Structure formats: structure tokens, C-alpha cells
Amino acid sequence: LEKKVYLLVGKGNNGGDALTAGTFLLKKGIEVMGILADPEESHSRIASEAKSDFLSHGGKLYPFHLIRKDHPLEGVILDGIFGT
């Protein structure tokens, strides 16, 4: 069984939390792909720091607009956009 996790990454601290979770999963050998919902220059300091750590551990990030609509995301989707 192939393990994949997709992170929906927002610009705020929830996005940073998703990236931190993604880094943890990468360390466990799970394939993780981050999907950026907002331009990177708008990210909070916490999200930017988590992004650097995520990328240094082999994570991959893609802008939302590059995700093909006809390609289903199969695996777990972790929401890091919305919070309370």
C-alpha cells in the first residue's frame, strides 16, 4: 500500500502547522506533496520557516493553479488553510 499525503497550505499559521506535519511524515518515509493556496510572499513568518524546513527534508511544493483538475488526489488530504 503506497502512502501519500497532500497538504493544503494556506498563508497563515495553519499552513505552517500543515508543513510541520508534512516534515514529520517525510521523516517517517511517507510521500508528501504541498499545495500552496496563496502566493509564497504572503506567508506568515511561521509558515515561511516551516516551508524551509519542509523543503530541506525533501518535501515538494506546488502552486494550487498547477494542480490538474482531471487528476484525482489519492491519499490523505491534510487541511492547512482554514482555522478558528
Side-chain angles (χ1 to χ4, degrees), residues 29-47:
I30 296 171
E31 184 180 349
V32 181
M33 182 176 92
I35 302 168
L36 299 172
D38 300 288
E40 292 184 62
E41 62 271 7
S42 68
H43 287 187
S44 72
R45 179 186 55 79
I46 290 173

Side-chain angles (χ1 to χ4, degrees), residues 3-18:
K3 298 176 183 179
K4 282 188 184 177
V5 175
Y6 298 92
L7 310 174
L8 299 180
V9 181
K11 64 183 176 180
N13 295 345
N14 289 327
D17 291 346

